[in-house]
Amino acid sequence: MGEFDFQRRFEQVGAYTAWITAIALAIALSFDQYKTNHPMTPWLYWVLMASTVFVGLGYTVQLIIGRKTGSKQMGMVQGTVQIAVSTIALTGLCAATGGIEQPYWLFYIVALIPAAVSLPVSFTILAGIAASGGVILASFVAGTLKTENVGALVFVCALIPVTAWYSGVLTDALRRVMERAEHNRAQLGDGVTHLSNVMAQAAEGYLAVDNSISHEALDDEALSALSSAFNDTLESLRSLVTQIRSGGEQIAASAGELLATAEEHAASATQQSSAVSETTSTIE
């Protein structure tokens, strides 16, 4: 099974979402343009239609560049520029389509979710607050900043930052889980490599090998159990070698004692032989 790339997967979904959103926006703009009694000027309509295409293309190009360069995460500057451009463009869209009285402010939320993948939580919340300011500015420009729309503005201006905060916290938690998993996998790999080297040295007869593994690697239960079992095996082998060495030393000592006894017996026999020889000579 291949490695799951959290960042790349989000970018891929972001590209798909961008195209789906762009198509939905184009359909909505076309309906407002040709099926309602408040059409936009033709040049503005076509500018907005072109913008929807560029949104989809922008996310697609970002995904392709990431795959070509092997970049796993959009940079801080790139993410900030992206959300800033999106906020400005969506403010213009809302201003041109009636501000708070039209549902196009929902696209602020769509733009904030991909940004939450790359930006810190605090920056994502600030982007949500800026988006709320964009809704207010667009409503002012569109002439819909009225008393009857205050309730809707309060709701929207609270919803967008809260959604940004929630998305930022969620993606940050997922990112931390992935980073922790990668760290644990690296620690496990280091521990297994160390144990393999130790086993190889022990197989060559070097039983004094050091089998110390980092504390972080020992947090893995399977690796800790394997290390403990191997340590027990090494300790048993060392004890066996010590016993064999002690037994050899005892055998050598006993052999020395036997040799000394044999030498004493040989000397005694020699003395007795000399005494016999002397006695024989005296008799003769």
Side-chain angles (χ1 to χ4, degrees), residues 245-262:
R245 181 182 301 168
S246 177
E249 291 175 351
Q250 291 177 1
I251 291 174
S254 297
E257 292 177 357
L258 288 174
L259 179 61
T261 301

Side-chain angles (χ1 to χ4, degrees), residues 232-244:
D232 293 340
T233 302
L234 276 180
E235 188 62 32
S236 297
L237 288 175
R238 290 166 184 161
S239 177
L240 179 60
V241 169
T242 300
Q243 292 176 8
I244 293 174

Side-chain angles (χ1 to χ4, degrees), residues 59-270:
Y59 279 95
T60 304
V61 169
Q62 175 183 311
L63 179 62
I64 294 174
I65 293 175
R67 287 180 176 178
K68 294 292 185 181
T69 61
S71 175
K72 290 189 175 182
Q73 184 170 0
M74 182 170 57
M76 180 73 175
V77 175
Q78 184 181 354
T80 303
V81 170
Q82 183 185 64
I83 191 62
V85 172
S86 298
T87 301
I88 294 172
L90 289 172
T91 300
L93 170 65
C94 289
T97 54
I100 190 63
E101 292 184 350
Q102 294 295 327
Y104 295 111
W105 56 265
L106 287 169
F107 289 105
Y108 282 108
I109 297 177
V110 177
L112 284 169
I113 293 175
V117 178
S118 302
L119 298 177
V121 178
S122 57
F123 276 71
T124 305
I125 296 174
L126 289 175
I129 295 174
S132 297
V135 175
I136 296 174
L137 177 61
S139 300
F140 175 78
V141 173
T144 55
L145 192 63
K146 303 175 182 178
T147 304
E148 57 268 26
N149 293 329
V150 171
L153 277 171
V154 171
F155 172 75
V156 171
C157 291
L159 176 65
I160 295 177
V162 168
T163 303
W165 171 65
Y166 178 79
S167 301
V169 171
L170 178 61
T171 54
D172 183 67
L174 290 174
R175 189 184 303 112
R176 290 177 184 274
V177 169
M178 291 297 297
E179 290 174 352
R180 179 62 180 172
E182 292 179 0
H183 177 72
N184 290 341
R185 184 177 58 186
Q187 289 291 337
L188 179 60
D190 293 341
V192 170
T193 300
H194 176 75
L195 277 178
S196 299
N197 295 332
V198 170
M199 288 179 180
Q201 295 180 39
E204 294 175 356
Y206 182 59
L207 300 181
V209 63
D210 181 18
N211 187 32
S212 59
I213 301 179
S214 66
H215 177 72
E216 293 181 350
L218 287 176
D219 287 342
D220 184 88
E221 294 183 1
L223 183 60
S224 178
L226 179 60
S227 177
S228 297
F230 185 67
N231 285 335
D232 293 340
T233 302
L234 276 180
E235 188 62 32
S236 297
L237 288 175
R238 290 166 184 161
S239 177
L240 179 60
V241 169
T242 300
Q243 292 176 8
I244 293 174
R245 181 182 301 168
S246 177
E249 291 175 351
Q250 291 177 1
I251 291 174
S254 297
E257 292 177 357
L258 288 174
L259 179 61
T261 301
E263 289 177 350
E264 289 178 359
H265 285 305
S268 177
T270 301

Side-chain angles (χ1 to χ4, degrees), residues 262-277:
E263 289 177 350
E264 289 178 359
H265 285 305
S268 177
T270 301
Q271 290 177 357
Q272 290 176 0
S273 176
S274 298
V276 169
S277 297

